Amino acid sequence: MGGDHAPRAPIAGALLALAELPAQHHIQLIGRSAPVTAELDALLSDEFAAYAPHRSRISIVDAPDVIEMTDKPTVALRGKQQSSMVIGLRRVVEGLADGFISAGNTGAQMAASTVLLKLHPGLTRPAIGTIFPTARQPVLMLDAGANVDCSAEELVQFARIGDVYARHLLGRTSPAVGLLSIGEEAEKGNAVVKEAHQLLRKADLNFIGNIEGRDIPNGECEGSPLDVIVCDGFVGNVLLKFYESVAPMLIGMVARSAGLDADTVTRSLKHLDVDEYGGAPLLGVRGVSIISHGSSSPRALKNAIRMAVTASESGMNEEIGRRLSAAASHTA
Amino acid sequence: MGGDHAPRAPIAGALLALAELPAQHHIQLIGRSAPVTAELDALLSDEFAAYAPHRSRISIVDAPDVIEMTDKPTVALRGKQQSSMVIGLRRVVEGLADGFISAGNTGAQMAASTVLLKLHPGLTRPAIGTIFPTARQPVLMLDAGANVDCSAEELVQFARIGDVYARHLLGRTSPAVGLLSIGEEAEKGNAVVKEAHQLLRKADLNFIGNIEGRDIPNGECEGSPLDVIVCDGFVGNVLLKFYESVAPMLIGMVARSAGLDADTVTRSLKHLDVDEYGGAPLLGVRGVSIISHGSSSPRALKNAIRMAVTASESGMNEEIGRRLSAAASHTA
């Protein structure tokens, strides 16, 4: 029920995903069963008629409550126990689902995931990992907004989590982890970043040192590819929203000045396709919870579903748990 | 002597500026007099021959020491008292110059400006104001890197300084001041930003509330134009360097995909012309000190010189001093 184009976009995304995924995968559509069933039937009898063979791989789970985008997360969770958010995540906890994807209220998804899936020991909050398209390979940045006042230890935890993510979901061997700062030298940065730099040098990670804002769009630092960018959720959120807004602004300007159609130009830039990943995994929780943009297209949601499958099958979350407890026992 | 293209770019910039400025303006070129004189003569006998009538408006002040880009600021200041940085700023203090412009070592310029020009009462450090091109009007962001761990009170000082700058140098009446955060609501942000929000609501400013990363490229927040963005120097520096790097990356991608020449496209985008302002004023010091990029072109340095003239003639620094002491006595 969540997102700007619900229930149509999630249902269409599910159909697209089933067509790509092996036959053993099934999708549960969680929401008010009447409108969900009606929309599914409408799609299958029209635009998605070719997807009818996949209908048997879909089940509909009724969730009468709907969390609105404007609902306060904690209030929504307490008052709307029969929402798709709560019911869906409960199914993950109960082993009835391997992952949960939503384009709904992000705050509510974070809160519900934390409460229901629970965090790996040693974490105080989950982190949002987001993929930045770059001139080179896509780069994972975390945290993108879940943690605004971070300690140096939390930044190190983000680095460990990001390392596992980059291996499991991006296929990077020995991911290069950079700490976002305002200069390359170890003594550059704010107090927390300077302390984190020292801790990261001693951590069992491929830590390449500080990186700067200019390195992100290039996806590299001094010629070496970058895989993971570590920053607090305040900086990460500002940067993410800036990037999401500056790209269409610049592309629109260039297109207009060259007499081209901005949408055509955008589609031609595969590098910058924000639908390619479709979602940001909530990292640090003991289960798969993928946060998609409220404005997600069916294709973006299809890719978010594929991300959930990969995350589940790769055992990423279990590995994150192992890495965090190994680090904790090492430093204890 | 500072910058990647010294002494050629600063001298060429000075000639370009003199041709545009009224006859009463003079420029002092401060550096090693032999190479500076040789370069000036070379330019005037060749590419800049048409500028020969302005030669009489230029004087050369010998500064035998040269601060390198890699020099530590404080070490450079102590050890290189005969550098162009120290001699130039001393001339401002002594009333022999109305402003100082450099494309040299930024850290040294900040330190020398703070020590020699001194700060307005109540400030602990100067701030760097930088102009962001947007889809609408240019927007001032401060601090862009001078202050990494800021208090809420310092953010409010940046807002006051930015308000004066936007009036005097950008010609805005009642500048709209936004506080960079991760959500529009007053309760969104890190601890310092949340406290600053409350202080700014009570300040004598046109405070429009929190803005988000996405509002910057558009130069507006909810449809209203934005004039000043307040943030700490860590976030500001990351954003500035990100913007400086993402714009050519995206423009290059679009140009390639459309079979256009990236340089031609960039030149056609007047909105995004980084040379248009040419420098970032160091704000909060009692005198005009303009920081230019090391890579500045002659045209960028010409515009930095014009900025210094406007800053000096508008009495911006005196007004910043008045506003800060009025606020201090109001809250005392």
Side-chain angles (χ1 to χ4, degrees):
Chain A
M1 307 309 292
D4 309 341
H5 312 299
R8 193 170 197 286
I11 298 174
L15 290 168
L16 293 173
L18 287 171
E20 290 185 9
L21 291 168
Q24 80 265 25
H25 293 290
H26 290 70
I27 292 179
Q28 302 163 38
L29 298 174
I30 307 169
R32 287 191 175 150
S33 56
V36 170
T37 308
E39 186 69 46
L40 177 60
D41 290 345
L43 284 168
L44 287 174
S45 67
D46 184 21
E47 195 186 334
F48 283 79
Y51 291 76
H54 303 298
R55 174 65 182 86
S56 60
R57 296 162 67 194
I58 292 180
S59 53
I60 295 170
V61 179
D62 189 44
D65 292 344
V66 173
I67 296 179
E68 306 294 341
M69 295 304 239
T70 49
D71 282 350
K72 291 246 170 199
T74 46
V75 177
L77 291 189
R78 247 178 282 127
K80 297 181 175 176
Q81 290 279 314
Q82 297 302 310
S83 61
S84 56
M85 204 76 91
V86 174
I87 290 179
L89 286 162
R90 279 239 170 81
R91 292 184 81 83
V92 175
V93 174
E94 290 161 4
L96 300 172
D98 296 305
F100 176 75
I101 302 105
S102 174
N105 185 318
T106 298
Q109 187 174 353
M110 272 184 52
S113 300
T114 305
V115 170
L116 297 171
L117 301 178
K118 298 197 170 33
L119 293 166
H120 288 297
L123 292 182
T124 46
R125 288 172 67 85
I128 298 173
T130 190
I131 301 287
F132 266 37
T134 76
R136 237 170 133 145
Q137 74 297 333
V139 172
L140 174 72
M141 183 189 75
L142 75 172
D143 173 42
N147 305 269
V148 288
D149 285 296
C150 292
S151 66
E153 288 75 17
E154 284 173 312
L155 293 182
V156 176
Q157 284 177 335
F158 297 164
R160 293 190 198 287
I161 291 171
D163 172 82
V164 176
Y165 181 102
R167 288 173 201 269
H168 286 233
L169 263 73
L170 301 179
R172 313 284 164 84
T173 53
S174 187
V177 177
L179 177 64
L180 187 59
S181 189
I182 61 169
E184 289 164 22
E185 305 86 348
E187 65 273 18
K188 288 282 176 72
N190 58 30
V192 168
V193 164
K194 284 188 273 191
E195 189 188 343
H197 183 106
Q198 296 306 325
L199 295 174
L200 283 166
R201 286 175 70 164
K202 290 177 272 180
D204 181 25
L205 290 163
N206 179 15
F207 176 54
I208 60 165
N210 289 354
I211 64 148
E212 298 183 78
R214 69 167 62 96
D215 301 319
I216 304 175
N218 303 321
E220 60 178 43
C221 183
E222 301 198 327
S224 301
L226 195 59
D227 297 302
V228 178
I229 298 164
V230 172
C231 60
D232 74 43
F234 187 90
V235 178
N237 188 272
V238 166
L239 260 185
L240 170 63
K241 289 176 178 165
F242 183 79
Y243 203 1
E244 287 177 345
S245 164
V246 79
M249 184 275 254
L250 287 169
I251 293 168
M253 272 189 179
V254 177
R256 268 193 305 280
S257 107
L260 304 168
D261 177 62
D263 290 341
T264 313
V265 171
T266 305
R267 274 193 298 272
S268 76
L269 299 173
K270 294 217 172 50
H271 263 330
L272 297 180
D273 185 357
V274 291
D275 285 358
E276 190 62 32
Y277 288 87
L282 196 63
L283 297 167
V285 291
R286 297 160 78 169
V288 174
S289 178
I290 311 285
I291 296 172
S292 288
H293 239 295
S295 62
S296 291
S297 66
R299 193 169 153 264
L301 285 156
K302 181 262 287 179
N303 286 325
I305 294 166
R306 293 192 60 114
M307 176 186 276
V309 170
T310 309
S312 170
E313 292 183 341
S314 75
M316 177 184 78
N317 279 310
E318 294 77 5
E319 176 69 12
I320 288 175
R322 274 193 294 275
R323 288 289 296 278
L324 292 177
S325 44
S329 65
H330 185 74
T331 54
Chain B
M1 305 309 291
D4 309 343
H5 313 298
R8 193 169 197 285
I11 299 174
L15 290 169
L16 293 173
L18 287 171
E20 290 185 9
L21 290 168
Q24 81 266 24
H25 292 292
H26 290 71
I27 292 179
Q28 302 164 37
L29 298 173
I30 306 168
R32 287 190 176 152
S33 56
V36 170
T37 307
E39 185 69 46
L40 177 60
D41 290 345
L43 284 168
L44 286 174
S45 66
D46 185 20
E47 193 186 336
F48 283 78
Y51 291 76
H54 302 296
R55 174 65 182 85
S56 61
R57 297 162 66 194
I58 292 181
S59 53
I60 295 171
V61 179
D62 189 44
D65 293 343
V66 173
I67 297 179
E68 306 294 339
M69 293 305 239
T70 50
D71 281 350
K72 291 244 173 203
T74 47
V75 177
L77 291 188
R78 246 177 284 127
K80 296 181 174 175
Q81 290 279 315
Q82 297 303 310
S83 61
S84 56
M85 203 76 89
V86 174
I87 290 179
L89 285 162
R90 279 239 169 82
R91 292 183 81 82
V92 174
V93 174
E94 291 161 5
L96 300 171
D98 296 305
F100 176 76
I101 302 105
S102 174
N105 185 318
T106 299
Q109 187 173 353
M110 270 183 52
S113 300
T114 305
V115 169
L116 297 171
L117 300 179
K118 300 198 169 29
L119 294 165
H120 288 296
L123 293 181
T124 47
R125 287 172 68 84
I128 298 173
T130 190
I131 301 287
F132 267 37
T134 75
R136 235 168 134 146
Q137 75 298 333
V139 172
L140 173 73
M141 184 187 75
L142 76 171
D143 172 42
N147 305 269
V148 288
D149 285 296
C150 291
S151 66
E153 287 74 17
E154 284 173 312
L155 294 182
V156 176
Q157 285 177 334
F158 298 165
R160 293 189 198 287
I161 292 171
D163 171 81
V164 176
Y165 181 101
R167 288 171 199 269
H168 286 232
L169 263 73
L170 302 178
R172 312 284 164 85
T173 52
S174 187
V177 177
L179 177 64
L180 187 59
S181 189
I182 61 169
E184 289 163 25
E185 306 86 347
E187 66 271 21
K188 288 282 176 72
N190 57 30
V192 168
V193 165
K194 283 188 272 191
E195 189 187 342
H197 184 105
Q198 297 306 327
L199 295 174
L200 283 166
R201 286 174 70 165
K202 290 177 272 179
D204 181 24
L205 290 163
N206 178 16
F207 176 54
I208 60 163
N210 289 353
I211 64 147
E212 299 184 76
R214 68 168 62 97
D215 301 319
I216 303 174
N218 303 321
E220 60 178 42
C221 183
E222 303 198 326
S224 300
L226 196 58
D227 297 303
V228 179
I229 298 165
V230 171
C231 60
D232 73 44
F234 187 90
V235 177
N237 188 272
V238 166
L239 260 185
L240 171 64
K241 288 176 178 165
F242 183 80
Y243 201 5
E244 287 178 345
S245 164
V246 78
M249 183 273 251
L250 287 169
I251 293 169
M253 273 190 178
V254 176
R256 270 193 304 280
S257 107
L260 303 169
D261 177 61
D263 290 341
T264 312
V265 171
T266 305
R267 274 194 298 274
S268 76
L269 299 173
K270 295 218 171 53
H271 263 332
L272 297 180
D273 184 358
V274 292
D275 286 358
E276 188 63 30
Y277 287 88
L282 196 61
L283 296 168
V285 291
R286 298 160 78 166
V288 174
S289 178
I290 311 284
I291 297 172
S292 288
H293 239 294
S295 62
S296 290
S297 67
R299 196 173 148 263
L301 285 156
K302 181 261 290 179
N303 285 325
I305 294 166
R306 293 192 60 115
M307 177 186 276
V309 171
T310 309
S312 170
E313 292 183 342
S314 75
M316 176 184 78
N317 280 310
E318 295 76 8
E319 176 69 13
I320 288 174
R322 272 193 295 274
R323 288 290 295 274
L324 292 176
S325 44
S329 65
H330 185 72
T331 55

